[in-house]
Every structure is written in structure tokens, then in C-alpha cells.
Amino acid sequence: MKNYKIAVIPGDGTGTEVINEGLKVLEAVAKKCAFKYETVTYDFGGDRYLRTKEVLPESAVDELKTFDTIYLGAIGHPDVKPGILEKGILLKLRFDLDQYINLRPVQLYDERFCPLKTKKPEDIDFVVVRENSEGLYKGMGEFKDKGTPNEIATQISHNTRKGVERCIRYAFEYTKKFGKKKRLTLCGKINVLTYAWDLWERTYYEVAKEYPEIETDYAHVDATTMWFVKNPEWFDVIVTDNMFGDIITDLGAMIQGGMGLAAGGNINPQGVSMFEPIGGSAPKYTGKNIINPLAAICSLAMLLQELGEEKAATMIENSAKTVVKTKLKSLAAGKMGYSTSEVGDLVVENLQPINEVLDAKI
Ligand code: IPM
Ligand code: MN
């Protein structure tokens, strides 16, 4: 029997509450799918930082490398200046563990929760492959004459051929394997950012030659946000850089019904990946048992998929869908008609027996 080693980082704010529901679902699904796991919980986050003045212990990255996967809640604390925890924990782990893909599915489960008037679940069902290790997030740049009237601040988007190519290759492979329309859209800004996007475009069309079965497609990032609202049904898989991916996936989260459902994974296909709901730590909802845990639960499904536990992943996704469709009044915190822990219980109750799952993919 497989035995997975899972590092758990609940993090800040509502992180703990949503991760607890995820772990509840994990326990149930492990029994049904006959695998074992061990968890080790780490207290990285704002409270630890305020207590110890240390953002992340020296040993953290090396220790995390010994796990099969990482399950993370949320990072961000109202008493800590913005940037410290995000850069010191979240981005540091993404970079140091070389999780160069940020995979973010956008799927509408129920049209009741879509802010777009005429769109149905079949219209909103795509995946964003966000480059996760380079671009503007690299943190390159400088101040000149800081604090003077002549101040200049430069922020560099750093794109390497190797970094761009591995991301684009992943996206083509992903489209080949999972794309429903076999269409991969490159989302960029070739008309203005003529260095970075020249490299991206050249690389994309070179790699595309190896995938004749995949339809190529390009959209400027500004137009992409327009299409998300007007014609989201066009999209299948989208590949883009770190900054654009960050922005368009928040819009993606909204059209699928909100942050309550938005799951994501920071993936190193050759190493240790880390799965997290894409919403933040939501301080104002913390400790009230009202936050929606489904984004964390769906992130757990992605985690299991990456570990190769495909049946378990499908069981969780199907159950989450059923709960959204048949139980919830809203996907928003405090308005679901159920508490955080009740939603976790509902997902457990609606897990279908393993042998029925593969025939009955909802
Ligand atoms: C995200 C978040 C992070 C990002 C922040 C918290 C650093 O917005 O995961 O999308 O910008 O990547
Ligand atoms: Mn973001």
C-alpha cells in the first residue's frame, strides 16, 4: 500500500480552518482508495514570524524536499507589512523548490454562482498554466535617487529560454493529455513587451511543431480579460507568464463563482509540489467557521492527482460538485447555508464508492 509523506502548512488566518476540512476529506478518501499517508504540520506564517522574528527557518526548504507533497492553507497576516510573508514564505518556497508551474483550473460548477448572465458550466471550463519561477516575480530591479524628485524605480521581467520553454512544454503536454478542445492559447503582450514576449512567442511556435494535434492560438492579455467575460467558452488551456497569470486567474476565480472554489497547485513535475487555494488568509472571516473550504478541498484533489491517486482526486471533485449543486445557497463566506466544517462533512458524505467513480464522472 502506498504511504505518502505530506507536509502541511496551514499558515495564516482562515488557512487552518480550510486545511482542517481538507484533511478530513483526505482521511475519508484514503480509506476508500486504500492508500496511507503521514502528515507533518509546520507553523510557518505570520504568528510564528511575530513571535520569533524569523520568516522561515534555515532548514525549512531542505526538510520540505523530503516530502512527497505539500498542502498549504494561506499566507498573509494583518499585523505584518505586506510583502514580508508573501516573499519570505510563499514565493521563497515556490522558487527554492523550483515549482515552475502554477496550475489553476477555472471551472463553473453551477450557473447559479456565475456572475455572467448567460454562461453555463459547459462555457466555463479551462485551465491556466502560469509560469511560476520567473518574470516580474524574480524581484530584479533597483531604485535610483530614492526619495528625491528624480527617483527612478526599475522592475525587470526576467525570462530565460530554459524557463519559458519548460513552462510551454508542460502546457502542451497538459493540453495533449487533459485538454478538451486540444487548444493551447498563449496569453501575452507581443505588441508592447517586445523582448520578453518575442522570446515567449518564438519558443511557443517552435515547441508547437512537436504537437501538430494541438491547435495554436494567441491572445493579448488585455483581450484575454475581455474574452473571459464575453466568450470564456473559447478557452481550453492557457499558458502565460507569472504576472499575467496572477492577474487573469483572479478574474478566472470570479467567473467560476468566487475564491471559495478557486484551487491551485505550484508544481515541480520532477520534484516536490505544493497545493493551495488561491484566495488569501481572509482575516475578517478567521475563526468564525464560515469560510468556504471547497477551494482547499479541490486543491487537495489536485494534490492527489499529482501523486497519481487519480481515482481519489475524481471522487473529491465529483463530491465537491454535488455539494455545490445540491446543497450550497452561495459560495461566499457566511452565506453558504452551512458552516465551514459542515461543508467538509458534506464532501465526505458525498464521496462515491470507488468502483462507481470512473463510470460516473460528473
Ligand atoms: C497568488 C498570490 C501571490 C502571487 C501573492 C500572495 C504573493 O496573489 O498566489 O496568486 O502573487 O502569486
Ligand atoms: Mn494572485
Side-chain angles (χ1 to χ4, degrees):
M1 198 187 278
K2 287 258 176 66
N3 188 5
Y4 301 106
K5 250 188 103 186
I6 305 177
V8 179
I9 309 175
D12 299 316
T14 50
T16 306
E17 293 163 66
V18 298
I19 287 294
N20 281 345
E21 298 317 304
L23 294 175
K24 197 193 265 177
V25 175
L26 177 61
E27 190 183 343
V29 89
K31 282 200 194 106
K32 289 183 195 281
C33 296
F35 65 83
K36 293 207 290 191
Y37 64 93
E38 291 158 34
T39 59
V40 178
T41 305
Y42 291 89
D43 66 351
F44 308 148
D47 288 330
R48 181 181 195 281
Y49 170 69
L50 291 170
R51 211 172 54 237
T52 63
K53 294 284 157 277
E54 181 183 61
V55 187
L56 206 60
E58 256 335 290
S59 57
V61 172
D62 282 340
E63 238 177 87
L64 289 172
K65 279 184 185 162
T66 67
F67 286 84
D68 292 308
T69 190
I70 304 167
Y71 190 33
L72 179 131
I75 297 292
H77 195 290
D79 302 334
V80 181
K81 196 175 152 225
I84 294 179
L85 301 170
E86 292 86 341
K87 276 192 172 172
I89 301 176
L90 190 58
L91 297 181
K92 185 172 168 54
L93 293 180
R94 288 179 184 171
F95 278 69
D96 288 4
L97 295 168
D98 204 18
Q99 294 161 342
Y100 61 88
I101 297 298
N102 194 320
L103 196 64
R104 297 187 162 181
V106 177
Q107 204 184 347
L108 178 64
Y109 283 176
D110 186 322
E111 63 187 87
R112 283 182 299 146
F113 304 129
C114 184
L116 308 175
K117 234 191 329 203
T118 57
K119 300 302 175 189
K120 305 255 180 301
E122 60 269 27
D123 298 322
I124 301 180
D125 187 3
F126 59 88
V127 177
V128 177
V129 176
R130 165 185 174 190
E131 203 291 323
N132 209 32
S133 66
E134 297 193 336
L136 281 164
Y137 277 68
K138 198 88 188 173
M140 291 169 76
E142 61 174 3
F143 292 112
K144 272 214 177 98
D145 301 323
K146 192 173 180 184
T148 73
N150 296 323
E151 177 165 354
I152 301 172
T154 313
Q155 190 94 43
I156 293 172
S157 175
H158 182 80
N159 299 265
T160 66
R161 169 73 196 212
K162 287 202 179 90
V164 170
E165 186 170 331
R166 66 184 182 173
C167 174
I168 286 175
R169 278 192 185 281
Y170 180 94
F172 272 104
E173 277 299 318
Y174 188 90
T175 312
K176 186 173 162 180
K177 213 162 156 195
F178 301 109
K180 297 192 175 102
K181 305 187 175 84
K182 303 289 174 226
R183 174 186 297 143
L184 178 63
T185 302
L186 175 69
C187 163
K189 194 71 187 175
I190 55 175
N191 53 347
V192 177
L193 307 178
T194 50
Y195 298 109
W197 285 95
D198 190 272
L199 172 59
W200 273 85
E201 194 190 22
R202 267 184 290 123
T203 310
Y204 173 81
Y205 285 106
E206 273 174 41
V207 175
K209 287 188 197 135
E210 296 169 36
Y211 294 88
E213 69 275 42
I214 308 292
E215 183 189 339
T216 55
D217 180 44
Y218 170 82
H220 293 319
V221 61
D222 49 347
T224 302
T225 63
M226 178 180 78
W227 296 122
F228 272 20
V229 174
K230 200 165 174 273
N231 296 104
E233 61 276 11
W234 171 258
F235 296 108
D236 184 12
V237 182
I238 298 172
V239 63
T240 190
D241 77 0
N242 211 338
M243 186 77 257
F244 293 165
D246 178 46
I247 297 168
I248 66 171
T249 53
D250 266 25
L251 180 55
M254 288 304 117
I255 64 172
Q256 73 175 1
M259 283 299 175
L261 260 188
N266 303 282
I267 296 176
N268 176 342
Q270 292 83 33
V272 184
S273 302
M274 177 168 76
F275 296 82
E276 51 164 340
I278 84 172
S281 56
K284 69 175 175 184
Y285 299 131
T286 301
K288 299 193 168 141
N289 198 20
I290 58 172
I291 193 81
N292 187 342
L294 286 173
I297 291 170
C298 291
S299 302
L300 174 73
M302 294 178 72
L303 177 154
L304 291 168
Q305 170 86 30
E306 188 68 17
L307 288 177
E309 294 293 337
E310 283 166 24
K311 286 180 192 169
T314 306
M315 282 173 80
I316 296 173
E317 269 170 39
N318 284 352
S319 174
K321 252 180 235 179
T322 305
V323 170
V324 167
K325 283 199 220 173
T326 62
K327 305 281 180 189
L328 300 195
K329 288 204 294 217
S330 159
L331 297 176
K335 298 184 181 150
M336 299 184 288
Y338 297 90
S339 67
T340 305
S341 46
E342 283 169 343
V343 174
D345 292 340
L346 284 171
V347 175
V348 170
E349 284 160 26
N350 283 280
L351 290 169
Q352 273 183 33
I354 187 68
N355 49 350
E356 289 168 29
V357 159
L358 291 179
D359 321 318
K361 200 164 182 200
I362 297 176

